[in-house]
Amino acid sequence: MATEGTTHHSRDILPEPTLHRLPWYLAYVSLLRAAGIEYVSSTQIARQINVDASMIAKDLSFLNIKGKTRIGYEVTSLEHVLQDFLGFKVGHNAVIIGVGSLGNSLIQDSGLTNYGLNIVAGFDIRPDLEGTSICGVPIYNIDELHRRLPALNASIGIVTVPVERAQEVSDLAVKAGIKALWNFTPFRITAPKGIVIQNTSIYSHLAVMYNRLGAGNTK
Ligand SMILES: NC(=O)c1ccc[n+]([C@@H]2O[C@H](COP(=O)([O-])OP(=O)(O)OC[C@H]3O[C@@H](n4cnc5c(N)ncnc54)[C@H](O)[C@@H]3O)[C@@H](O)[C@H]2O)c1
């Protein structure tokens, strides 16, 4: 095996599929670190997570890390470099818009902080929620979003309202100063140029799964 990867240092042009795969490598490498394993090669990662070894080496070449010939990457360093590169070490403040069933679960999901996401407040229209808190996270009326956002220092809005409200609350959030929208509703929201949108509909994944099941192709 040759030296693992050449370094690119070109974060800006990182292809989206690579960005989707890097967290898989991180999850596996974290398991190895927890098991006390010191080195891992791209071939080993490939075997475990079923991604081509050459693709893994190419993906990792975007990071500021080099593997050693025959031994591979140092596990602890690779874990740190991946976490750092993916922005999981930096705290990103976010607000939840729509504190219903999903909004509640996300506020209670302590795992999100491991990925650098701090939920600092929730906003809803329900008067009974106003002034309450969930796991120490205060819940305010949606009308207060504009006024409260600067002090909350949050640039991310997590959209967990009923589907028919998705676009209107997104517009409101952008007007209030939100720079990125993580949308969990099935509606494909739009926003002005410069606003980052991440549409995360679990239902579209279901559609793919059903289709592949029907076609008898489980890949
Ligand atoms: N529940 C889940 O596990 C789940 C999973 C994936 C996606 N989703 C999607 O997430 C969205 C929310 O689902 P849910 O099950 O949490 O619904 P829910 O009805 O339990 O919660 C929606 C919340 O949004 C609030 N809301 C309504 N209009 C609002 C507005 N204009 N501003 C602020 N808050 C407002 C409601 O008062 C309510 O508390 C839906 O679009 C759903 O399709 C839900």
Side-chain angles (χ1 to χ4, degrees):
M1 180 175 50
T3 303
E4 300 247 348
T6 32
T7 323
H8 283 279
H9 301 297
S10 45
R11 190 174 176 157
D12 288 347
I13 55 142
L14 211 69
E16 198 167 320
T18 298
L19 277 171
H20 284 291
R21 285 190 296 267
L22 289 176
W24 300 347
Y25 310 154
L26 174 59
Y28 177 55
V29 165
S30 298
L31 286 177
L32 294 180
R33 196 251 314 133
I37 292 164
E38 283 183 59
Y39 287 93
V40 66
S41 68
S42 44
T43 320
Q44 278 170 290
I45 304 177
R47 231 179 282 133
Q48 285 303 316
I49 64 173
N50 200 18
V51 172
D52 208 62
S54 58
M55 187 176 276
I56 294 175
K58 186 159 186 280
D59 288 344
L60 295 181
S61 74
F62 288 101
L63 308 179
N64 190 15
I65 190 166
K66 274 199 164 181
K68 288 186 187 153
T69 310
R70 273 191 295 277
I71 309 176
Y73 303 91
E74 211 231 319
V75 166
T76 335
S77 311
L78 183 55
E79 187 186 30
H80 282 144
V81 169
L82 277 167
Q83 283 174 328
D84 203 28
F85 187 85
L86 291 167
F88 293 165
K89 275 183 169 175
V90 182
H92 300 86
N93 283 359
V95 294
I96 291 271
I97 305 170
V99 190
S101 162
L102 182 59
N104 241 283
S105 314
L106 290 173
I107 292 174
Q108 290 179 58
D109 178 7
S110 55
L112 284 175
T113 51
N114 295 335
Y115 290 89
L117 195 76
N118 303 325
I119 297 173
V120 290
F123 291 86
D124 204 288
I125 42 163
R126 277 175 52 189
D128 58 314
L129 291 178
E130 202 178 332
T132 63
S133 68
I134 301 160
C135 300
V137 173
I139 313 300
Y140 304 115
N141 190 284
I142 187 71
D143 294 340
E144 291 186 47
L145 182 64
H146 201 286
R147 184 171 69 81
R148 292 204 179 262
L149 201 60
L152 292 167
N153 194 22
S155 50
I156 302 171
I158 304 175
V159 180
T160 49
V161 291
V163 62
E164 64 276 13
R165 295 276 164 262
Q167 189 61 59
E168 108 190 23
V169 299
S170 300
D171 294 344
L172 196 84
V174 170
K175 268 202 195 114
I178 283 291
K179 299 284 179 254
L181 292 161
W182 190 11
N183 172 30
F184 279 91
T185 81
F187 187 80
R188 206 158 185 278
I189 55 166
T190 54
K193 210 166 171 256
I195 302 296
V196 180
I197 299 179
Q198 204 43 251
N199 287 301
T200 306
S201 171
I202 56 169
Y203 309 115
S204 58
H205 289 117
L206 268 185
V208 175
M209 189 166 77
Y210 294 158
N211 180 272
R212 301 297 187 262
L213 260 178
N217 178 1
T218 50
K219 234 190 158 183

